Amino acid sequence: MAAARADTLQSVELADGVEIQLRVAGPAVRSMAYTMDLLLRIVIYIVVGLAAVFLLMSAIGAELTGGLMMIFVFLMEWFYNVFFEAGPRGATPGQRRMGLRVMSVTGGPVSLAQAVMRNFLRVVDFMPAFYLAGIVCMLFTKRFQRLGDLVADTVVTYADPPPASTPNVEVRAQRRAPSQVLTREEQAALLQFMERAPLWADERRIELATLAEPLTQAPGMEGLRNLCGMALWLQEPEDKRGTPPPLKGAPLFRS
């Protein structure tokens, strides 16, 4: 059976063709995290306000104390989320309590610029009241992104990533020696291609194999098959390298 929240699992393809999965959080759990942060800020305001009344007012006067409190509230409202989301955990206390974190859509941590952008646009998401614009935007986007997320290229995900699964793949290709002598770096690149190819789509495999056509001496799927055959040949110990009979009509990659 699929784990809970499996319907929020979103796939993202990176520039090198690798596909990662993000478990995005919906409006309900994000609203609970926001409520927790709001309550925490209210408690902080009460504590700091009482401290200001008893410690500062008699020393610097009511007007200056009130001005300092207004500056403090301003900084809290505009930079509370920025401070925590741009930090190493990428989440406010409320988000951490709900098991959430803010990430870039590429799966990386949020930069300071992204954190500032997504949180400064909260004033737009809040309109006309109670984050109505943000909630409507989340309901109409695949990754539950509000306007601030769309502009900053961020997404709120569950902090516990889905368990990584390594596909059990059988390569059906004929082992063959390379048509030319390969350097150590070229051999390493060929073995890395063989290791990562099962994670890519057929179009991406063929696209990369086409770059090695001077080595494979064949285009398209045949070139990909030859390239995988050479990688299989390199994986064998030198004293056991040979050429087994070809496997015709079998799929190149089979889980």
Side-chain angles (χ1 to χ4, degrees):
M1 295 295 291
R5 306 188 299 270
D7 58 324
T8 65
L9 200 63
Q10 298 290 333
S11 298
V12 177
E13 185 174 351
L14 303 183
D16 59 355
V18 176
E19 193 174 82
I20 63 173
Q21 292 181 324
L22 301 177
R23 200 181 299 276
V24 298
V29 66
R30 290 174 63 174
S31 298
M32 296 176 65
Y34 172 80
T35 302
M36 291 182 180
D37 285 319
L38 177 61
L39 294 175
L40 177 59
R41 292 203 306 273
I42 291 174
V43 171
I44 294 175
Y45 292 150
I46 293 174
V47 173
V48 174
L50 292 175
V53 168
F54 289 105
L55 299 178
L56 293 180
M57 189 172 294
S58 59
I60 63 177
E63 291 185 0
L64 187 54
T65 300
L68 292 176
M69 279 299 301
M70 291 180 65
I71 294 175
F72 176 76
V73 171
F74 171 82
L75 294 176
M76 284 288 292
E77 290 299 317
W78 285 94
F79 293 97
Y80 172 89
N81 289 72
V82 173
F83 175 79
F84 288 107
E85 292 175 4
R89 295 189 177 182
T92 64
Q95 290 168 342
R96 291 203 303 269
R97 179 65 178 174
M98 298 305 300
L100 307 178
R101 69 171 300 168
V102 181
M103 304 179 67
S104 173
V105 292
T106 59
V110 173
S111 66
L112 178 60
Q114 287 177 303
V116 170
M117 195 178 303
R118 79 180 299 271
N119 285 290
F120 277 27
L121 286 174
R122 282 183 179 275
V123 65
V124 180
D125 285 307
F126 188 82
M127 294 180 179
F130 304 109
Y131 283 98
L132 182 59
I135 292 175
V136 171
C137 185
M138 281 191 283
L139 294 177
F140 284 91
T141 54
K142 183 174 64 174
R143 297 172 183 152
F144 297 125
Q145 293 170 290
R146 58 178 178 84
L147 296 174
D149 290 316
L150 292 173
V151 174
D153 270 346
T154 56
V155 63
V156 180
T157 67
Y158 287 95
D160 53 330
S165 59
T166 303
N168 183 17
V169 176
E170 179 183 357
V171 181
R172 308 283 295 188
Q174 178 186 1
R175 287 192 297 273
R176 55 186 298 156
S179 57
Q180 61 190 55
V181 178
L182 302 179
T183 65
R184 185 178 300 274
E185 291 77 13
E186 290 170 337
Q187 293 181 27
L190 186 54
L191 292 175
Q192 289 178 4
F193 171 84
M194 187 65 176
E195 179 181 350
R196 302 179 69 177
L199 303 175
W200 300 330
D202 287 339
E203 294 78 6
R204 182 61 172 170
R205 298 168 186 162
I206 295 175
E207 178 186 357
L208 294 177
T210 302
L211 300 177
E213 189 170 339
L215 175 64
T216 61
Q217 299 178 349
M221 181 59 72
E222 185 62 27
L224 175 60
R225 191 178 297 275
N226 291 345
L227 194 64
C228 291
M230 295 175 191
L232 289 175
W233 186 85
L234 289 175
Q235 289 177 346
E236 289 287 331
E238 291 189 12
D239 56 343
K240 295 184 179 180
R241 288 176 180 173
T243 304
L247 297 169
K248 297 181 178 179
L252 184 58
F253 292 90
R254 188 177 68 182
S255 298

